[in-house]
Amino acid sequence: NGVTCDGDGNVVGLHLQNLGLSGTIPLELGFLPNLVDLDLSHNTLTGQLPEELALPPLETLLLSENSLTGYVPDSLCRKKGINGNGDNNDE
């Protein structure tokens, strides 16, 4: 439950919302080369967003209702395709 894999067994989705997860977001999530959907919303996660989350081809990144601090890394802000970012030729 919560993990979606493609036909080759690669992790393409992590849907871990509302599970009472705490602590920081592991930077290792950024090293899942096929990760497209990441939903960590409605938990009690703390700390900053790892810059490594800009590495996989994320299309959906849901982090609401946590206690994250700091800024969104520039590498994530500039990445087109996350949650529709850049869909209208916006930079």
Side-chain angles (χ1 to χ4, degrees):
N1 279 344
V3 179
T4 304
C5 296
D6 64 15
D8 295 323
N10 299 305
V11 175
V12 295
L14 290 174
H15 306 278
L16 305 174
Q17 68 275 16
N18 204 23
L19 293 176
L21 300 176
S22 60
T24 59
I25 297 173
L27 64 91
E28 290 83 3
L29 290 179
F31 297 110
L32 292 170
N34 301 293
L35 187 62
V36 176
D37 298 310
L38 178 58
D39 186 352
L40 299 173
S41 62
H42 299 273
N43 285 292
T44 55
L45 297 170
T46 58
Q48 298 184 3
L49 290 176
E51 289 193 35
E52 289 79 6
L53 289 181
L55 297 174
L58 283 175
E59 294 175 5
T60 305
L61 177 61
L62 302 173
L63 302 168
S64 64
E65 302 299 321
N66 281 290
S67 296
L68 299 170
T69 57
Y71 296 97
V72 176
D74 286 342
S75 55
L76 273 173
C77 290
R78 290 190 309 263
K79 185 170 176 139
K80 292 188 178 195
I82 296 178
N83 298 346
N85 193 27
D87 281 352
N88 294 317
N89 295 323
D90 296 335
E91 292 290 325

